[in-house]
Amino acid sequence: MKAWKQAGVPLAMAGLMAMLAACGSNDAGNNANAANQTNAASQTNANAAAGTDGQANASANQQKKPVKVVWWHSMSGELGDAVNQLVSDFNASHPDIQVEAVYQGTYDDSLNKMKASLDSKSGPSLIQVYEIGSKFMVDSKAITPVQDFIDADNYDVSNLEENILGYYTFNNKLYSMPFNTSNPILYYNKDMFKAAGLDPENPPKTYEEVKNAAKALTKEGKTGASFAIYGWFMEQFFANQGAEYVNNGNGRTDAATESLVAGEAGVKTLTWWKDLIDSKVALNLGRKSDDTKKAFLAGQIGMTLDSTASLRGIVDGAKGKFEVGTSFLPKPDGTTEGGVVVGGASLWIMNNKPADEQKAAWEFIKFLAQPDTQAKWHINTGYFPITKKAYDEQIVKDNMAAYPQFQTAVDQLHATKLIPATQGAVMGVFPEARQTVESAIEEAFGGQKDPQKALDDAAKAITEKIDTYNKTVK
């Protein structure tokens, strides 16, 4: 590998010393046998040669010591098990590199620990950061863009998913490598659809169709739908209308300075969503998607929104109870532009580590991007493969046959046209902005403010946070 060439000089020097010493030993032995003289001198030369050989071997062993890559991640439970298996597979096939995976808690926990480690260099070689932390990572100047390694290796990215790479591409440069990727889809109960006289093979595609279906499903103690109050969903509804979430090309042509959440796309969406609640054809179960998922699997609601990464768990959870259907994220009537934004996280290489360590991290990233690796990751986690070639792997074909609902997720991803709206918004205060939007949705649902006022206030608060953040960026 290119990364290890720099180790060759000291190793070659040690080898040369050993070779010269060995020649000296042979000469001494031959002279002793021929002339039958000074065995002691011969032994002294042999011992010297042996000592030099030992030093050379020790030097060689030291040079062969694997390069250690410390990878901080936020995958727990079964996802953590899948991560550990990937690391085990890599280490077994790469004796010159050893990756150590270290769980650091939530994405926020991990990012805060990384910030604290920058001065001491006690942090990771590689870190998994959620997508809304991307702006901070770029602005931190603490990373080496993976584009640098791509260019140096002439690494072919043509088989990687364009719509996934798009999120992490800034100024035509890929800064991090996507790792766990998902987007939201509509899940619906086909049995409830049949019982309500709805076509289970023709799920709702627009806001109005969702409302009509929810009305039909709301009966006999069951409710038509419930969507978690999750800022990610609002961001997706914007993208699905081709609407940008912040100004300046969604923060991609220049740093965002203003939130656009109070624009037409936001007001239209929140008005529709609130109407579902007020009409009692949808339940407000709060911010946690786990709660809406439980209600869906219990047969209490007929439709919900959730991540594509939840698909396997939802389908398995419904087995023996009802058949799960899936559909694209709904959009307002008459909307032709737009699509979904990828969620999840990507891998960033830290630039405060030695060059060989950074290159070793890149080797690990390339391993993770291989079709067979992505196939295993996909079927064990539900996340999208980041390479299209993974769909040719037999285990992925078998998984698709067992969970045909996932085809909806793939089709939705591929149907999305990459424009600034669907690349995703970029701002350094995204976590705070998401919480602000969730509070605005709650205020509208609770009647404290109408949708326009709630989003106006949210946009003002987010814009102020953006301004404060931008002043800190040098």
Side-chain angles (χ1 to χ4, degrees):
M1 296 180 187
K2 296 179 181 179
W4 320 132
K5 286 184 178 179
Q6 61 188 15
V9 174
L11 186 58
M13 288 297 295
L16 180 60
M17 290 172 62
M19 182 176 69
L20 292 174
C23 288
S25 175
N26 289 338
D27 288 343
N30 290 335
N31 289 339
N33 290 332
N36 195 25
Q37 296 176 357
T38 59
N39 286 337
S42 174
Q43 187 62 45
T44 299
N45 285 340
N47 288 343
T52 308
D53 283 340
Q55 292 171 5
N57 289 337
S59 178
N61 287 337
Q62 185 176 9
Q63 292 297 334
K64 290 178 182 178
K65 184 178 180 181
V67 178
K68 184 177 181 180
V69 172
V70 177
W71 176 27
W72 283 8
H73 69 88
S74 297
M75 301 278 93
S76 60
E78 292 183 356
L79 296 177
D81 292 339
V83 160
N84 290 334
Q85 186 59 57
L86 292 178
V87 170
S88 178
D89 291 346
F90 176 82
N91 287 342
S93 60
H94 293 74
D96 49 354
I97 305 171
Q98 288 295 289
V99 175
E100 179 186 354
V102 183
Y103 174 68
Q104 292 291 351
T106 66
Y107 289 131
D108 286 323
D109 291 340
S110 182
L111 196 56
N112 288 332
K113 290 176 184 178
M114 187 216 75
K115 293 175 184 177
S117 75
L118 290 178
D119 292 336
S120 66
K121 296 186 179 181
S122 61
S125 329
L126 186 69
I127 185 170
Q128 176 193 24
V129 178
Y130 57 179
E131 84 280 23
I132 59 175
S134 297
K135 172 67 171 170
F136 169 81
M137 293 300 291
V138 172
D139 290 339
S140 74
K141 298 181 174 60
I143 57 95
T144 301
V146 296
Q147 189 70 51
D148 291 1
F149 300 97
I150 289 170
D151 293 344
D153 271 7
N154 289 319
Y155 180 73
D156 183 10
V157 299
S158 63
N159 286 307
L160 301 182
E161 292 279 9
E162 296 89 346
N163 286 348
I164 296 177
L165 294 181
Y167 191 101
Y168 303 102
T169 300
F170 308 96
N171 298 319
N172 297 314
K173 179 184 289 189
L174 186 65
Y175 273 76
S176 59
M177 184 65 82
F179 178 54
N180 51 305
T181 302
S182 62
N183 56 46
I185 55 176
L186 179 74
Y187 292 85
Y188 65 98
N189 184 323
K190 285 191 171 185
D191 292 27
M192 282 182 65
F193 266 56
K194 291 176 186 176
L198 300 171
D199 182 355
E201 304 307 323
N202 186 28
K205 300 175 181 62
T206 67
Y207 287 1
E208 189 63 26
E209 288 176 2
V210 168
K211 181 179 179 180
N212 292 337
K215 284 181 179 178
L217 293 165
T218 302
K219 61 180 181 178
E220 299 174 357
K222 298 181 179 181
T223 307
S226 184
F227 310 138
I229 299 174
Y230 188 10
W232 187 49
F233 292 157
M234 181 61 85
E235 296 151 26
Q236 296 289 347
F237 285 131
F238 263 73
N240 213 22
Q241 298 174 65
E244 295 171 8
Y245 209 57
V246 292
N247 69 343
N248 292 336
N250 229 7
R252 291 181 176 274
T253 56
D254 200 357
T257 59
E258 180 185 2
S259 168
L260 303 180
V261 74
E264 181 183 1
V267 175
K268 186 181 295 184
T269 296
L270 187 52
T271 300
W272 159 74
W273 199 346
K274 175 176 167 56
D275 180 51
L276 294 176
I277 303 293
D278 291 347
S279 301
K280 301 189 185 308
V281 298
L283 296 176
N284 174 11
L285 296 177
R287 296 191 182 193
K288 295 181 179 179
S289 58
D290 279 350
D291 292 334
T292 53
K293 189 184 305 178
K294 288 175 183 176
F296 181 71
L297 291 176
Q300 296 169 352
I301 58 174
M303 296 180 289
T304 193
L305 296 176
D306 214 314
S307 167
T308 52
S310 298
L311 190 147
R312 187 169 183 168
I314 289 175
V315 173
D316 286 348
K319 279 181 180 176
K321 296 188 289 187
F322 62 88
E323 184 179 359
V324 176
T326 54
S327 182
F328 284 16
L329 186 74
K331 59 177 64 179
D333 290 315
T335 303
T336 57
E337 292 293 319
V340 289
V341 181
V342 298
S346 64
L347 303 180
W348 300 76
I349 296 176
M350 306 305 297
N351 66 11
N352 62 350
K353 300 299 179 183
D356 62 339
E357 194 172 321
Q358 293 186 47
K359 289 178 181 178
W362 168 241
E363 291 299 322
F364 179 54
I365 284 176
K366 289 193 292 184
F367 169 82
L368 294 178
Q370 291 174 184
D372 58 337
T373 307
Q374 280 296 300
K376 293 174 185 176
W377 175 245
H378 163 63
I379 66 170
N380 287 322
T381 65
Y383 288 115
F384 283 112
I386 67 168
T387 174
K388 289 170 278 192
K389 283 190 173 181
Y391 293 106
D392 295 330
E393 298 287 322
Q394 190 58 47
I395 58 173
V396 173
K397 293 178 180 178
D398 293 343
N399 188 70
M400 193 71 79
Y403 300 93
Q405 296 92 339
F406 196 80
Q407 190 63 50
T408 299
V410 176
D411 291 345
Q412 180 175 246
L413 177 68
H414 291 164
T416 295
K417 181 181 178 182
L418 198 61
I419 56 176
T422 58
Q423 270 188 283
V426 182
M427 55 177 149
V429 294
F430 221 137
E432 300 95 317
R434 186 171 281 180
Q435 293 176 8
T436 300
V437 170
E438 290 168 358
S439 295
I441 295 171
E442 289 172 335
E443 290 172 338
F445 286 178
Q448 292 99 320
K449 299 176 182 177
D450 64 38
Q452 183 70 68
K453 173 63 174 171
L455 293 177
D456 280 340
D457 290 349
K460 180 180 178 182
I462 294 169
T463 297
E464 290 173 353
K465 293 178 188 295
I466 291 174
D467 182 60
T468 300
Y469 173 85
N470 286 347
K471 289 176 180 176
T472 70
V473 179
K474 297 178 181 179

